[in-house]
């Protein structure tokens, strides 16, 4: 998503956010093998950031794509990670 935002509109924040969240989820997946609790916690943190950014963008644009989907995916991933922590 961040790469598309950068390619279409030249949005550097989208590129940085997409790469940053992708890296966070990558670290989360790697940690899940080594220390599952830490891995799911990192995944939860990344999901919360994604949901907050999605909510802010949706509030501003009122568009389901991509802002609403970012919010929905962040909430879904956050719930999944939370249930794995507990």
């Amino acid at each position: 998503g961040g790469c598309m935002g950068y390619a279409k509109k030249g949005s550097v924040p989208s590129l940085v956010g997409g790469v940053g969240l992708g890296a966070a989820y990558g670290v989360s997946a790697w940690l899940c093998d080594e220390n599952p609790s830490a891995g799911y916690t990192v995944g939860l943190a990344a999901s919360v950031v994604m949901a907050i950014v999605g909510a802010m963008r949706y509030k501003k644009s009122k568009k389901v794509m991509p802002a609403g989907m970012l919010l929905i995916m962040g909430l879904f991933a956050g719930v999944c990670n939370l249930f794995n922590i507990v």
Side-chain angles (χ1 to χ4, degrees), residues 16-32 38-50 81:
V16 171
V19 170
L21 281 175
Y25 280 122
V27 168
S28 171
W30 176 73
L31 280 174
C32 282
Y40 290 121
T41 302
V42 171
L44 177 62
S47 300
V48 167
V49 169
M50 186 187 323
N81 281 297

Side-chain angles (χ1 to χ4, degrees), residues 3-24:
C3 293
M4 286 302 287
Y6 180 75
K8 285 187 171 188
K9 304 269 184 173
S11 174
V12 174
S14 288
L15 180 63
V16 171
V19 170
L21 281 175

Side-chain angles (χ1 to χ4, degrees), residues 15-78:
L15 180 63
V16 171
V19 170
L21 281 175
Y25 280 122
V27 168
S28 171
W30 176 73
L31 280 174
C32 282
D33 286 338
E34 305 294 320
N35 182 354
S37 179
Y40 290 121
T41 302
V42 171
L44 177 62
S47 300
V48 167
V49 169
M50 186 187 323
I52 290 170
V53 169
M56 290 176 6
R57 288 185 180 178
Y58 182 75
K59 183 179 178 184
K60 183 177 178 182
S61 71
K62 301 290 189 229
K63 293 182 180 178
V64 175
M65 250 338 246
M69 288 304 293
L70 196 64
L71 171 60
I72 291 166
M73 290 186 322
L75 291 173
F76 179 75

